[in-house]
């Protein structure tokens, strides 16, 4: 009998639509001879299952606009269709932002006893808070940028003080957002407060972070009970001010896999990514972003629910490794049942 898989997407952040595209990617990748797959869309209190297959080549907007939908019973994450109750064996979480990336959804799934694809509550909550995560990891020897945290309702340092502490240019971004929403590369003191205001539109905490000049790369890894896999590293080259939303999703970037870096640096990044995986207690696939300055690697960000569209970093890296993304996802699902 096939396992019943829910791909949980959507969420309540600016990354809602990005998450839906990841859901479509995952649906296309998964082994449909082995699994029955249903996309479940979360938005606020509205949790809806879409039991109809997603036709190959159909856009996600068209699919969600024209497909049958069934409300999810939050008591056991089931839905009823034609008088028949349907339950799931496993949830693949691909929400970028709240509630799927910060541990809230994981806590719910733990309470109802449903296995899921990514890390648990503590690791999700930690990595979702970029400032806390990076400073925690710095105690394990990871190099991070100098930074400060601002919280809504508290008095901020004055703009000249921020510039003096971090230097210019610097980055100002949401502490809990993703996909570069609300992120600004600030070059003048006068632009600091407007950038802070913009970042606060994404959440109630903002990071001001020193700029690190170097080569930006990203590395995906996953582990099962019997193996650890580090994918080939991707080099990120953009003519934009930084790797912003347009670079990520509108093709204004060159993504080179494998990265054009020395073998020794490659090996160190892969080893450090796997070490980080164990330190935070990760599960499933994670992706860690780094910046190389000389021979030093510096931690930028940990992503525990990385994008999974056909052109996202992880599928690119899987292909470069000579692996089949279908087999990788099967690894992750079946690892929960060993």
């Amino acid at each position: 009998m096939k396992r019943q898989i829910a791909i949980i997407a959507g969420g309540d952040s600016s990354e809602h639509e990005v998450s839906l595209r990841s859901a479509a990617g995952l649906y296309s990748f998964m082994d449909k001879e082995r699994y029955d797959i249903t996309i479940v869309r979360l938005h606020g209190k509205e949790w809806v299952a879409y039991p109809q297959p997603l036709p190959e080549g159909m856009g996600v907007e068209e699919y969600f606009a024209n497909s049958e939908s069934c409300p999810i019973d939050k008591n056991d994450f089931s839905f009823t269709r034609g008088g028949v109750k349907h339950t799931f064996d496993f949830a693949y979480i691909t929400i970028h932002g709240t509630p799927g990336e910060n541990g809230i959804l994981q806590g719910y799934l733990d309470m109802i006893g449903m296995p899921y694809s990514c890390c648990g509550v503590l690791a999700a909550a930690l990595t979702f808070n970029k400032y806390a995560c990076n400073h925690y990891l710095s105690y394990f020897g990871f190099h991070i940028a100098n930074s400060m945290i601002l919280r809504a309702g508290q008095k901020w340092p004055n703009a000249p003080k921020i510039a003096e502490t971090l230097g210019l240019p610097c980055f100002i971004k949401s502490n809990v957002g993703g996909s570069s929403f609300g992120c600004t590369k600030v070059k003048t003191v006068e632009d600091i407060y407007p950038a802070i205001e913009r970042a606060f539109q994404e959440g109630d905490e903002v990071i001001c972070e020193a700029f690190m000049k170097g080569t930006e790369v990203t590395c995906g890894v996953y582990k099962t009970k019997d193996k650890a896999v580090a994918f080939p590293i991707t080099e990120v080259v953009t003519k934009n001010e930084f790797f912003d939303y347009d670079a990520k999703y509108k093709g204004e970037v060159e993504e080179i896999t494998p990265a054009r870096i020395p073998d020794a640096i490659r090996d160190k990044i892969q080893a450090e990514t796997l070490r980080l995986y164990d330190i935070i207690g990760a599960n499933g696939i994670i992706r860690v972003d780094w910046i190389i300055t000389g021979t030093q690697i510096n931690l930028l960000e940990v992503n525990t629910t990385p994008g999974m569209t056909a052109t996202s970093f992880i599928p690119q890296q899987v292909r470069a490794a000579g692996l089949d993304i279908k087999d990788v996802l099967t690894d992750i699902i079946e690892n929960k049942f060993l």
Side-chain angles (χ1 to χ4, degrees):
M1 183 178 294
K2 292 182 178 181
R3 296 197 198 278
Q4 304 299 306
I5 309 298
I7 298 175
I8 307 180
D12 304 322
S13 74
S14 298
E15 297 181 274
H16 184 97
E17 297 304 318
V18 176
S19 169
L20 298 183
R21 296 203 293 271
S22 284
L26 283 163
Y27 188 95
S28 70
F29 300 146
M30 285 185 183
D31 188 345
K32 295 171 189 63
E33 294 184 2
R34 189 165 190 158
Y35 305 118
D36 283 330
I37 306 158
T38 302
I39 296 176
V40 178
R41 183 178 188 175
L42 274 56
H43 190 226
K45 295 182 179 180
E46 186 179 66
W47 294 18
V48 179
Y50 292 81
Q52 292 176 288
L54 172 57
E56 186 175 350
M58 178 180 283
V60 289
E61 295 85 359
E62 182 184 356
Y63 174 74
F64 286 114
N66 297 293
S67 296
E68 175 190 3
S69 61
C70 304
I72 288 287
D73 181 346
K74 298 185 183 72
N75 290 299
D76 58 2
F77 203 72
S78 66
F79 68 92
T80 299
R81 184 189 190 196
V84 178
K85 180 175 178 176
H86 297 265
T87 59
F88 296 103
D89 301 307
F90 181 89
Y92 200 108
I93 300 173
T94 191
I95 292 177
H96 312 313
T98 187
E101 200 171 8
N102 57 0
I104 294 174
L105 181 60
Q106 289 88 334
Y108 161 79
L109 293 172
D110 284 341
M111 290 178 70
I112 65 170
M114 183 178 296
Y116 50 86
S117 55
C118 54
C119 59
V121 174
L122 178 59
L126 173 64
T127 54
F128 189 66
N129 187 306
K130 301 177 182 72
Y131 183 86
C133 181
N134 282 12
H135 281 77
Y136 171 74
L137 289 169
S138 72
Y139 289 104
F140 293 88
F142 294 93
H143 296 279
I144 64 171
N146 187 22
S147 63
M148 60 177 64
I149 185 78
L150 308 179
R151 294 185 173 90
Q154 295 182 352
K155 186 177 180 179
W156 308 340
N158 63 48
K161 181 63 176 177
I162 293 173
E164 179 187 347
T165 303
L166 301 177
L168 292 175
C170 68
F171 281 102
I172 295 177
K173 60 186 179 181
S174 171
N175 190 37
V176 294
S179 292
S180 297
F181 286 110
C183 181
T184 306
K185 184 178 180 181
V186 175
K187 298 180 179 180
T188 68
V189 172
E190 293 74 23
D191 288 337
I192 288 176
Y193 271 13
I196 291 172
E197 299 273 5
R198 180 172 178 236
F200 267 119
Q201 294 176 13
E202 296 297 318
D204 59 4
E205 292 186 348
V206 166
I207 303 176
C208 303
E209 188 173 75
F211 171 65
M212 293 185 292
K213 184 176 177 61
T215 302
E216 187 170 346
V217 298
T218 188
C219 179
V221 301
Y222 78 99
K223 292 189 176 186
T224 64
K225 291 182 174 67
D226 59 2
K227 65 183 173 183
V229 178
F231 300 130
I233 295 166
T234 301
E235 178 183 351
V236 180
V237 182
T238 178
K239 293 180 181 179
N240 297 4
E241 282 289 347
F242 62 97
F243 191 41
D244 59 10
Y245 182 89
D246 289 341
K248 288 175 178 173
Y249 301 112
K250 296 184 180 180
E252 297 175 14
V253 66
E254 187 178 3
E255 299 168 358
I256 303 164
T257 311
R260 302 167 299 180
I261 57 177
D263 291 353
I265 297 290
R266 175 202 65 202
D267 294 346
K268 183 177 181 182
I269 289 172
Q270 290 177 324
E272 287 292 88
T273 305
L274 288 167
R275 183 169 79 94
L276 184 154
Y277 189 103
D278 290 336
I279 289 169
I280 65 172
N283 250 300
I285 298 174
I286 72 167
R287 201 194 77 235
V288 180
D289 302 336
W290 307 86
I291 192 158
I292 305 165
T293 55
T295 59
Q296 180 170 290
I297 62 170
N298 306 280
L299 174 64
L300 290 178
E301 187 173 327
V302 181
N303 301 276
T304 56
T305 56
M308 293 295 287
T309 70
T311 58
S312 294
F313 287 125
I314 293 299
Q316 288 183 48
Q317 294 176 3
V318 170
R319 291 191 294 269
L323 302 173
D324 189 327
I325 188 69
K326 178 173 69 175
D327 296 334
V328 171
L329 295 177
T330 299
D331 265 355
I332 289 165
I333 295 169
E334 293 304 314
N335 186 60
K336 293 290 185 173
F337 299 97
L338 294 177

